[in-house]
Amino acid sequence: MESFHNHKIHIPLFSLLFFLFHFSSLHFISLAYEQPHKYFVNCGSKADANLNGRVFTADSSSGFLCSEKSRAIESTNQSPSPYQTARIFYNQSYYEFTIAENGTFIVRLHFLAFSSAVNLSTALFDVLAFPNVSNSGFKLLSNFTAKNSSNSPLIKEFFLGIDPGTFKIYFVPQASSFAFVNAIEVFLAPASFSPENYNSSLPLVLHSIYRVNVGGQKFTPDNDTIWRNWEQDDRFLSNSNSAKDSQPSSQTLIRQSVESDGFVGADNDFIAPDLVYLTAKVMTDSTKGLPNPFNITWSFNVSADARHLVRVHFCDIIGPPGNVVFNLYSNGNFITKVGGPDFRFNSLYSPFYYDFVLSSNGSEFINISIGPSIDTTTINNTFLNGLEMLEIIEGPALRNPPASVCNKKGSKKIKVGLVVGSVIGGLSLICILIVGILFGLKYRNAKRVETSEWSPMPAVGGGSNHSRLTDGTITGSPMNYLNLGLKISFAELQQATNNFDTKLLIGEGGFGNVYRGTLLNGRNVAVKRGKRDEKGSGQGLPEFQTEIMVLSKIRHRHLVSLIGYCDERSEMILVYEFMEKGSLRDHLYDSNLPRLSWKQRLEICIGAARGLHYLHTGAAGGIIHRDVKSTNILLDENHVAKVADFGLSRSGPLDETHVSTNVKGTFGYLDPEYIMSQQLTEKSDVYSFGVVLLEVLCARPAIDTMLPRDEMNLAEWGMLCKKKGLLEQIVDSSIKNQIDPSSLRKFSETAEKCLQDDANDRPTMGDVLWDLEYAFQLQQTAKHREPHEDSTANASSAFVLPDVQRFPSVSSTINIDDQALPGYDELDTTEVEVFSQLRVGDAR
């Protein structure tokens, strides 16, 4: 067996979690495991509900619910059980369950923001769990919202080590918002998920983030013995040409109760269903026999500051048995060899699995790869059947449950002491309010204090005005030289946003929430507030610093402008001019907004290309954006485009830049070469912009998991249609009759060039800009045609293109829109207003 190389693992935790999943060390008592029948709760309902054979008990009569102020609501549309009802909480509340035996439990929380009298998609809340007798707990979900564009349920699954006694799940609304839940599951997991010797004072907490049926179809809980969802792997593949599906016609698995060198026999379907092991991804014929075999790689978006437990499932369904030997890698690091002459699982249809723990090391992506071992005596092939990835929630531990008044459902007794206490408490509250009002009148001109739920934490070495920016660096140099004219006090931003009222929330993203606000001078702004860093890890600080550094140095008509920032204590807040029309994505997908014309779309793409071209070649010295997507292209009141969100940007002379960096960006827009090599160049932005061009043309997301697998990835699907001459069939129907065939042909060719696999084959942003301007001129000079004539298939090959001169100004480094911005004093405050926001949470 080969040894580990350059693979960062904390051995004690690895040993614990590896043991956690071992059947053999537990004498395979999982064979006696039976499906549980209790602690399935139908929230907000007076009637029981059935889901996949489970009976969910109505919480109104269960005795599980403890809440001072809650409300049951029903869906106004037809929804499947138990998603017809929900329980809303306006203050912190909890469900309490009696646990008779210790072990690892599966906890699932179900959320569906259905249509009702209350807009559930605006809920913002935390979920806490207190699973053991020492009253220590963990935050399972933080600042959680159940908004889901696919209108399908969100199911959050956790594995928790729970002691005998009471187990509580708290729902804690944020500020003036509320919390809700549709259904809850709490049941003992099979023995393979139960640690035999876990003596820590803290419970074990794992959060399931991916469960993938590799090479097979998506299947739902009714096909799984413990009701798990398994999704297709295609959307995670870095290169779809590197692998193909393999599936035997009909076969019975041979499940074995053995282990060898860390590999464990999947001896029953509680590990994974037969459907997982009877499908696989294998190498394509075009990649076999190469001098340097091509790895098959799956890329997963993860939390950058967390460790993850990964379980990979294998079952040789391709044969001949014992002749396939290959290596398993993570982020390019060797993990283990699979197969070989002495390998215990050298037989067909015998499933097994392997567990390991890894860290993303600051990257927001984890790559899992398999590649043939360089061995001429074996078959040059690989296979993978399934993959699970669980985030390890490591703290900080919550030492005591929140104080809460518990009005249990079904309890009718009223204690005199409670009534008297309530009266006294009410009088005390009135007195406190009177004193507070008088105090406020006396000191109404004093500096306002923090009242939101994100109170600043004490900063190391500083008082209330201590700046985080002077503590850290971006490129090794302190940031204390920034123009202080950009700084805005936290008190003013509190007032501008009505103390960050959720009613003013206009966007959400990985960095934080975006609020609409009005400064003291009456100016409308967008205020992006970074998430509170409770772990003290500095997560988000680099993005905050980078955004300030980039936007304080540049100015361009098609780049977002920064109004100011706040870095008092633990706050990380960025303030931008407000963008009237929102993001490009909004106007492509939101049915409530007017559809953009083809001419408007071309102008928007040209504007964004100008902004990116300036970033790459302008006076700032060369900047790679690294997160180009439709949500980061914003539109002013006249639909002028501006590129926004520079938190992931990298700077440096681009003629020398081939930076090795952790992969960051957004699924569907990421350059495959960047994912594989982790080498960042400006051509990665070009690839992402090519995806945006297809998005603009087709008005569909970069990744749509609801579509068939060959249509799921827009870049791959669009280029396939282009090669087959069918691109016109996937063009947005609202603009089909507006597009001149020559303009469409030039536009699609530009997108195709941007999406080349080899970065060297892609154009520069200057070339992309010129091509888009050419497509615009072709559209402008097109003769009028009847709708039935509008077809690229009928476009004459003899079509005479206008004589368009390629002016030097197009590809020059600086034009009339481009200026360096050394200081805030030079900002033109009458410029078109913009803001930087992330409206979709699938990326970072």
Side-chain angles (χ1 to χ4, degrees):
M1 179 64 65
E2 297 179 55
S3 59
F4 285 86
H5 295 289
N6 192 30
H7 187 61
K8 298 181 179 179
I9 295 180
H10 296 269
I11 298 300
L13 179 60
F14 173 82
S15 300
L16 168 66
L17 292 174
F18 187 81
F19 183 77
L20 167 65
F21 284 87
H22 266 194
F23 274 115
S24 58
S25 62
L26 295 171
H27 308 292
F28 305 99
I29 59 175
S30 63
L31 292 174
Y33 176 76
E34 295 181 358
Q35 292 178 344
H37 297 287
K38 65 176 182 177
Y39 296 159
F40 300 99
V41 184
N42 187 15
C43 303
S45 177
K46 296 180 181 179
D48 296 348
N50 188 288
L51 180 66
N52 306 125
R54 291 161 289 174
V55 176
F56 284 74
T57 304
D59 71 346
S60 59
S61 58
S62 66
F64 300 141
L65 176 61
C66 297
S67 178
E68 182 182 7
K69 187 179 180 183
S70 70
R71 174 184 173 189
I73 62 168
E74 295 184 1
S75 171
T76 56
N77 298 327
Q78 188 65 33
S79 301
S81 296
Y83 302 111
Q84 296 175 355
T85 61
R87 175 73 60 181
I88 293 180
F89 308 101
Y90 294 101
N91 60 1
Q92 59 188 17
S93 307
Y94 64 87
Y95 286 86
E96 181 179 75
F97 305 97
T98 300
I99 303 300
E101 57 183 308
N102 70 315
T104 298
F105 284 71
I106 295 177
V107 176
R108 293 195 187 109
L109 307 175
H110 297 249
F111 305 96
L112 178 63
F114 54 60
S115 298
S116 68
V118 179
N119 186 358
L120 296 178
S121 63
T122 63
L124 186 66
F125 55 97
D126 296 342
V127 179
L128 318 178
F130 286 83
N132 68 5
V133 293
S134 64
N135 276 337
S136 62
F138 283 87
K139 182 175 288 187
L140 301 182
L141 299 172
S142 180
N143 294 322
F144 176 73
T145 178
K147 185 185 298 182
N148 189 356
S149 59
S150 66
N151 295 319
S152 58
L154 289 174
I155 302 175
K156 296 294 182 179
E157 179 186 88
F158 303 89
F159 291 83
L160 282 76
I162 303 180
D163 293 334
T166 59
F167 167 51
K168 297 179 180 179
I169 303 176
Y170 280 81
F171 294 85
V172 184
Q174 291 290 335
S176 58
S177 189
F178 60 93
F180 83 95
V181 63
N182 300 87
I184 300 174
E185 300 176 61
V186 179
F187 62 89
L188 188 66
S192 63
F193 295 97
S194 302
E196 187 176 73
N197 297 306
Y198 189 74
N199 298 319
S200 171
S201 61
L202 296 178
L204 173 72
V205 184
L206 302 173
H207 178 200
S208 302
I209 53 176
Y210 296 106
R211 184 172 286 122
V212 183
N213 182 25
V214 179
Q217 297 293 323
K218 171 183 178 180
F219 61 89
T220 52
D222 54 338
N223 292 307
D224 188 291
T225 50
I226 51 175
W227 312 291
R228 292 166 293 195
N229 277 301
W230 296 79
E231 57 182 319
Q232 281 184 313
D233 70 305
D234 290 43
R235 74 183 182 97
F236 303 109
L237 270 176
S238 297
N239 186 337
S240 61
N241 296 322
S242 66
K244 65 180 180 179
D245 295 341
S246 178
Q247 182 175 353
S249 56
S250 177
Q251 187 64 41
T252 301
L253 294 180
I254 305 171
R255 293 186 180 264
Q256 303 181 65
S257 301
V258 294
E259 69 167 304
S260 174
D261 296 323
F263 293 90
V264 184
D267 65 330
N268 63 74
D269 57 2
F270 293 124
I271 295 296
D274 289 3
L275 289 173
V276 171
Y277 290 117
L278 289 175
T279 61
K281 273 287 194 301
V282 300
M283 293 175 61
T284 58
D285 294 334
S286 60
T287 57
K288 294 180 182 178
L290 295 176
N292 296 304
F294 195 88
N295 292 342
I296 305 174
T297 299
W298 294 264
S299 184
F300 299 92
N301 191 199
V302 298
S303 298
D305 60 343
R307 289 187 295 169
H308 299 80
L309 185 146
V310 179
R311 168 172 288 188
V312 280
H313 297 270
F314 300 102
C315 184
D316 189 351
I317 60 176
I318 59 177
N323 287 327
V324 179
V325 181
F326 57 93
N327 296 330
L328 173 67
Y329 304 92
S330 172
N331 290 341
N333 298 318
F334 174 78
I335 301 298
T336 189
K337 183 168 70 174
V338 184
D342 301 323
F343 192 59
R344 181 65 181 80
F345 298 95
N346 280 338
S347 59
L348 284 175
Y349 307 111
S350 180
F352 58 97
Y353 64 90
Y354 186 85
D355 295 329
F356 59 98
V357 173
L358 55 84
S359 172
S360 56
N361 294 324
S363 173
E364 293 179 343
F365 289 90
I366 286 178
N367 293 335
I368 303 297
S369 305
I370 51 175
S373 179
I374 308 300
D375 187 341
T376 57
T377 64
T378 60
I379 294 176
N380 189 20
N381 206 340
T382 61
F383 61 87
L384 180 67
N385 304 76
L387 183 144
E388 296 176 80
M389 189 175 294
L390 300 92
E391 181 178 324
I392 302 169
I393 300 178
E394 299 182 280
L398 306 173
R399 292 301 175 187
N400 292 292
S404 179
V405 176
C406 177
N407 291 336
K408 275 225 173 189
K409 292 291 180 179
S411 176
K412 302 297 184 181
K413 296 181 180 179
I414 302 177
K415 297 182 179 180
V416 174
L418 179 62
V419 175
V420 174
S422 299
V423 172
I424 294 175
L427 293 174
S428 300
L429 179 60
I430 293 173
C431 293
I432 292 171
L433 289 174
I434 293 173
V435 172
I437 292 171
L438 294 175
F439 184 85
L441 290 173
K442 182 176 181 180
Y443 295 101
R444 60 188 175 186
N445 295 322
K447 181 180 178 180
R448 298 182 62 187
V449 297
E450 168 90 35
T451 58
S452 89
E453 71 280 9
W454 280 344
S455 301
M457 296 181 294
V460 177
S464 61
N465 294 318
H466 177 67
S467 172
R468 295 173 58 132
L469 297 186
T470 59
D471 293 339
T473 66
I474 295 178
T475 56
S477 58
M479 293 189 60
N480 53 6
Y481 62 83
L482 282 177
N483 189 335
L484 295 181
L486 288 173
K487 295 194 72 170
I488 301 176
S489 72
F490 182 75
E492 181 174 354
L493 295 180
Q494 268 192 306
Q495 183 173 340
T497 59
N498 193 23
N499 198 23
F500 300 97
D501 191 338
T502 54
K503 294 179 181 178
L504 297 176
L505 188 68
I506 56 175
E508 303 167 50
F511 178 82
N513 293 334
V514 184
Y515 301 84
R516 180 167 185 165
T518 305
L519 298 179
L520 295 176
N521 61 9
R523 187 174 198 174
N524 289 330
V525 292
V527 180
K528 183 160 70 171
R529 189 183 195 191
K531 294 177 180 177
R532 182 175 177 178
D533 181 14
E534 296 183 343
K535 299 180 181 180
S537 62
Q539 178 71 12
L541 182 58
E543 292 184 28
F544 178 62
Q545 294 174 327
T546 300
E547 186 109 1
I548 297 171
M549 286 286 287
V550 170
L551 291 178
S552 64
K553 293 192 300 182
I554 60 177
R555 178 176 178 178
H556 190 279
R557 183 170 183 258
H558 295 288
L559 297 179
V560 66
S561 297
L562 183 70
I563 300 298
Y565 67 90
C566 174
D567 67 331
E568 294 176 15
R569 295 201 175 214
S570 64
E571 294 292 343
M572 296 183 293
I573 303 176
L574 297 164
V575 183
Y576 311 90
E577 292 179 296
F578 184 73
M579 174 59 103
E580 190 68 33
K581 297 294 186 182
S583 73
L584 171 59
R585 181 186 178 93
D586 295 338
H587 289 268
L588 293 176
Y589 309 140
D590 193 335
S591 59
N592 296 321
L593 295 175
R595 308 297 285 182
L596 295 170
S597 67
W598 175 239
K599 179 182 176 182
Q600 286 177 313
R601 298 185 197 202
L602 282 172
E603 290 173 333
I604 289 167
C605 291
I606 290 170
R610 284 176 179 161
L612 290 171
H613 175 53
Y614 172 67
L615 277 183
H616 289 178
T617 62
I623 296 171
I624 304 172
H625 187 281
R626 206 158 52 148
D627 199 19
V628 177
K629 56 184 177 181
S630 57
T631 52
N632 286 340
I633 297 174
L634 309 176
L635 309 176
D636 73 2
E637 59 185 355
N638 298 314
H639 292 96
V640 173
K642 291 179 182 282
V643 179
D645 201 333
F646 300 88
L648 298 183
S649 299
R650 292 294 296 262
S651 60
L654 296 192
D655 56 351
E656 302 173 5
T657 297
H658 213 74
V659 183
S660 179
T661 175
N662 289 325
V663 177
K664 293 189 177 183
T666 302
F667 270 132
Y669 299 90
L670 275 169
D671 171 13
E673 187 172 281
Y674 173 38
I675 294 175
M676 296 294 293
S677 68
Q678 299 189 32
Q679 298 295 311
L680 178 68
T681 73
E682 75 277 11
K683 295 298 183 70
S684 297
D685 281 353
V686 173
Y687 182 93
S688 302
F689 190 68
V691 179
V692 172
L693 294 181
L694 285 184
E695 226 179 330
V696 166
L697 184 63
C698 305
R700 57 145 285 188
I703 297 290
D704 189 342
T705 58
M706 304 303 292
L707 292 175
R709 65 171 59 188
D710 57 344
E711 301 179 21
M712 196 178 297
N713 184 298
L714 175 60
E716 295 180 0
W717 176 238
M719 290 303 93
L720 180 62
C721 292
K722 173 74 166 59
K723 291 175 183 177
K724 292 182 176 181
L726 303 175
L727 184 63
E728 191 179 60
Q729 295 183 16
I730 65 172
V731 172
D732 182 6
S733 58
S734 69
I735 59 169
K736 271 189 176 181
N737 294 332
Q738 303 174 17
I739 308 179
D740 175 75
S742 296
S743 178
L744 174 59
R745 184 167 60 247
K746 188 63 179 177
F747 186 90
S748 62
E749 287 173 354
T750 305
E752 184 178 32
K753 287 189 287 186
C754 291
L755 295 172
Q756 293 300 303
D757 290 335
D758 189 336
N760 294 323
D761 295 334
R762 299 173 201 153
T764 65
M765 281 308 304
D767 292 329
V768 173
L769 173 58
W770 189 90
D771 287 341
L772 291 175
E773 289 179 330
Y774 192 11
F776 182 80
Q777 292 191 45
L778 291 173
Q779 181 68 28
Q780 291 290 83
T781 57
K783 66 176 182 178
H784 176 73
R785 299 179 314 282
E786 296 301 320
H788 67 273
E789 297 179 310
D790 192 12
S791 171
T792 55
N794 297 326
S796 170
S797 59
F799 183 89
V800 180
L801 300 179
D803 182 15
V804 181
Q805 180 182 357
R806 181 164 184 166
F807 296 100
S809 62
V810 173
S811 57
S812 62
T813 300
I814 300 177
N815 58 37
I816 58 172
D817 291 329
D818 309 338
Q819 298 180 33
L821 184 60
Y824 180 75
D825 294 338
E826 297 183 25
L827 278 172
D828 180 4
T829 57
T830 64
E831 253 185 352
V832 179
E833 298 179 334
V834 342
F835 69 96
S836 174
Q837 63 174 317
L838 290 171
R839 291 181 178 263
V840 180
D842 58 36
R844 297 182 292 120

